[in-house]
């Protein structure tokens, strides 16, 4: 690995004893580290079913797949639908390290994800409260419950560090 793909943030080891919202966000955080290590924007996502079983987890793979839709949330939603054998994810919860963009927010709405948890908001492109709130469209037939702030500082620091290193690389300052 080179300096840019060595993630300086350690993986988390969530306790299996209490599978709560923080536990699942820690799993998403670990997915974001995998994204970093693969030279992808460090966003991770996990989807949990109604009994708390992780049915999908992924990280951004737009560079690897050469696909602008290969966001962590999109990949996890596809995996979850395949796992349960239905496109309706009515009883599922999505945990993601950064606020979903309009594409990903739209997929959660169309896929009928029950709840969305994200660590930090994105005032430029976030579509669940940051820049716009697609989940609050008055005529929409599905409105996921949205929560924010779990592991906010850790996820924000990791993302900011990633882009800081990339900017240094652009200016020739990374050794």
């Amino acid at each position: 690995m080179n300096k840019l793909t060595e993630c300086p943030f350690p993986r988390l080891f969530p306790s299996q004893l209490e599978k709560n919202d923080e536990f699942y966000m820690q799993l998403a955080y670990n997915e974001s580290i995998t994204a970093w290590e693969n030279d992808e924007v460090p966003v991770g996502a996990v989807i949990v079913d109604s009994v708390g079983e992780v049915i999908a987890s992924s990280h951004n793979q737009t560079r690897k797949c050469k696909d602008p839709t290969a966001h962590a949330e999109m990949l996890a939603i596809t995996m979850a639908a395949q796992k349960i054998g239905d496109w309706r994810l009515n009883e599922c919860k999505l945990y993601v390290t950064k606020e979903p963009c309009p594409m990903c927010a739209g997929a959660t709405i169309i896929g009928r994800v029950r709840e969305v948890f994200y660590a930090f908001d994105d005032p430029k492109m976030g579509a669940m409260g940051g820049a716009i709130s697609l989940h609050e469209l008055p005529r929409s037939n599905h409105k996921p419950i949205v929560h924010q702030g779990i592991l906010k500082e850790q996820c924000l620091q990791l993302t900011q560090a990633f882009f800081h290193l990339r900017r240094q690389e652009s200016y020739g300052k990374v050794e």
Side-chain angles (χ1 to χ4, degrees), residues 19-21 23-25 27 45-57 76 80 84 89-95 113-115 117:
K19 292 185 177 180
N20 56 19
D21 297 329
F23 171 85
Y24 298 114
M25 189 62 79
L27 297 178
V46 169
I47 296 182
V48 179
D49 68 11
S50 61
V51 295
E53 180 185 341
V54 174
I55 59 171
S57 62
I84 66 170
L89 303 175
N90 294 340
E91 299 302 318
C92 296
K93 296 179 182 181
L94 166 67
Y95 295 84
V113 174
R114 182 168 54 109
E115 290 184 73
F117 296 78

Side-chain angles (χ1 to χ4, degrees), residues 23-162:
F23 171 85
Y24 298 114
M25 189 62 79
Q26 289 175 342
L27 297 178
Y29 176 86
N30 287 343
E31 283 287 340
S32 69
I33 290 174
T34 300
W36 179 314
E37 293 168 347
N38 288 285
D39 198 29
E40 299 279 356
V41 173
V43 176
V46 169
I47 296 182
V48 179
D49 68 11
S50 61
V51 295
E53 180 185 341
V54 174
I55 59 171
S57 62
S58 194
H59 54 275
N60 277 2
Q61 297 180 42
T62 56
R63 291 178 185 194
K64 174 186 172 192
C65 296
K66 295 176 181 47
D67 179 356
T69 69
H71 288 196
E73 303 96 306
M74 299 294 285
L75 297 170
I77 287 168
T78 298
M79 292 168 70
Q82 289 174 350
K83 172 81 175 181
I84 66 170
D86 193 351
W87 62 271
R88 296 173 201 88
L89 303 175
N90 294 340
E91 299 302 318
C92 296
K93 296 179 182 181
L94 166 67
Y95 295 84
V96 60
T97 56
K98 184 183 115 4
E99 180 182 2
C101 70
M103 173 182 66
C104 296
T108 66
I109 294 164
I110 291 167
R112 300 184 182 170
V113 174
R114 182 168 54 109
E115 290 184 73
V116 177
F117 296 78
Y118 65 85
F120 68 94
D121 62 340
D122 179 354
K124 291 182 183 177
M125 286 298 292
M128 296 193 125
I132 193 167
S133 299
L134 288 181
H135 64 294
E136 294 177 349
L137 291 173
R139 297 182 70 181
S140 176
N141 66 340
H142 178 71
K143 297 178 185 345
I145 301 164
V146 177
H147 311 272
Q148 64 177 0
I150 299 170
L151 294 186
K152 177 181 180 176
E153 290 307 313
Q154 294 96 317
C155 294
L156 182 60
Q157 287 174 8
L158 182 131
T159 304
Q160 288 175 335
F162 176 85

Side-chain angles (χ1 to χ4, degrees), residues 1-15:
M1 281 200 243
N2 65 40
K3 270 215 186 270
L4 295 174
T5 57
E6 283 180 32
C7 184
F9 294 82
R11 290 188 187 281
L12 301 175
F13 296 95
S15 170

